[in-house]
Structures are given as structure tokens and as C-alpha cells.
Amino acid sequence: TAKTWLQTLKPKSIIVATPPTPANPKIYLLYRDKKDVATLNRIAFALRRQPNYTVADNFTLVTQGPAGDVRYFYSEDESNAKTIKQIVEKTLSDKGIQQPIDLKLFKNIPNGPSQGLIEVWLPSLPEPSSNIRRPSENSPYQQNQQRPKRPEQSKMPYSKK
């Protein structure tokens, strides 16, 4: 019949699965050394300047941890985690600290954190390296070196003296 024929011509409804969107990140900063709190405040300030980023008000002091990483728990949060990693590295670099930060996905954690949670684990940070100074002129290093003589003071091989 015509009705059956029309049903075969009618396209079947197609359900398009939209990928889950990343949640607005909630960022926790964990650190190992109390002397680094001022640097953590700078990092938190830089992260809070990003739209829709929330940084926990309190930092967490830990007794052990990695050499430095950004942890995220859902694949959908990877782009935010990468941005956070870049911000942390740039903030440290601006302060003269060269500290590489790793990006780590922790998946399938039972009763794990909610989507959007991102943790920044910082090691005990080294002192800034931008304070390298040249030795002063009166340093023992330079006192042992002789300054070269000017050409008119030295004997030239072709002179008649």
C-alpha cells in the first residue's frame, strides 16, 4: 500500500550525540614548601583572570608529591588542563623559575571527583634564576687577571727600539 511505501521512503530519525562540553574548571593548588605561598598567590591570581575559572581560596600543603603536574580526571577537561599548565609555567617563568609541569589524566577513579576539577601539584620551588650577577670589578676573580696593554705600550716586532 501507499502508506507502507511512504514509510520506507521516510528517513529514519538520526540521533546525533553531541560531545560533552567541558565544565568550568575548579582548580586546587597543592604545594610542598611554605616559602612558596607568595608564588602560589601569583599563580592563583593569573588563573582567576581567566573567564569561568574558579580557584580554591585555600592552598593545600602536602608532605609528599610529584615533581610538578596538572591533574585532571575527565577527557573533556583536557583543554582546560592544558591552558592551566601553560598559565602556571608562564607565571613561574615570569618569576625566573624554570619548572616543567606535566599534564596527567587520572581516569576511572571510584567515587572520583566531579568533572571540571583540576589539581595543580607543585614541588618545592627553586630560587629564581634571574638574579645571576656578574662578578664585581674588585672581586678576587678579576684581581688575578691582567688587563691587556694598549698597542702603543707594547713592543712591536718591527720597531727600532
Side-chain angles (χ1 to χ4, degrees), residues 56-152:
D57 290 328
N58 298 322
F59 310 137
T60 305
L61 180 64
V62 293
T63 55
Q64 44 185 322
D69 58 47
V70 172
R71 298 178 179 187
Y72 62 106
F73 305 91
Y74 294 87
S75 301
E76 296 81 14
D77 294 327
E78 183 177 10
S79 65
N80 282 329
K82 283 181 179 179
T83 302
I84 290 166
K85 174 187 180 296
Q86 291 170 346
I87 292 169
V88 170
E89 287 177 332
K90 181 178 181 338
T91 304
L92 292 173
S93 177
D94 288 350
K95 197 172 178 206
I97 299 171
Q98 299 304 316
Q99 175 65 51
I101 304 292
D102 295 326
L103 196 62
K104 294 186 178 177
L105 171 61
F106 287 80
K107 268 186 128 170
N108 303 323
I109 296 177
N111 301 322
S114 60
Q115 185 181 346
L117 183 125
I118 297 175
E119 297 175 342
V120 177
W121 290 70
L122 291 175
S124 180
L125 297 171
E127 291 298 317
S129 60
S130 64
N131 292 335
I132 298 172
R133 294 185 302 181
R134 298 171 137 191
S136 67
E137 259 200 63
N138 296 329
S139 75
Y141 171 75
Q142 288 188 347
Q143 286 178 355
N144 294 333
Q145 294 181 347
Q146 293 181 354
R147 291 187 175 175
K149 293 180 182 179
R150 288 187 273 168
E152 66 266 11

Side-chain angles (χ1 to χ4, degrees), residues 13-84:
S13 59
I14 299 171
I15 298 173
V16 177
T18 57
T21 57
N24 292 338
K26 172 77 174 178
I27 305 160
Y28 291 90
L29 300 173
L30 298 95
Y31 66 106
R32 294 196 49 190
D33 196 333
K34 291 180 183 179
K35 73 173 177 50
D36 298 328
V37 172
T39 302
L40 286 166
N41 283 320
R42 283 181 176 216
I43 292 169
F45 178 76
L47 290 169
R48 285 184 181 119
R49 294 178 65 195
Q50 301 301 309
N52 303 319
Y53 279 26
T54 303
V55 179
D57 290 328
N58 298 322
F59 310 137
T60 305
L61 180 64
V62 293
T63 55
Q64 44 185 322
D69 58 47
V70 172
R71 298 178 179 187
Y72 62 106
F73 305 91
Y74 294 87
S75 301
E76 296 81 14
D77 294 327
E78 183 177 10
S79 65
N80 282 329
K82 283 181 179 179
T83 302
I84 290 166

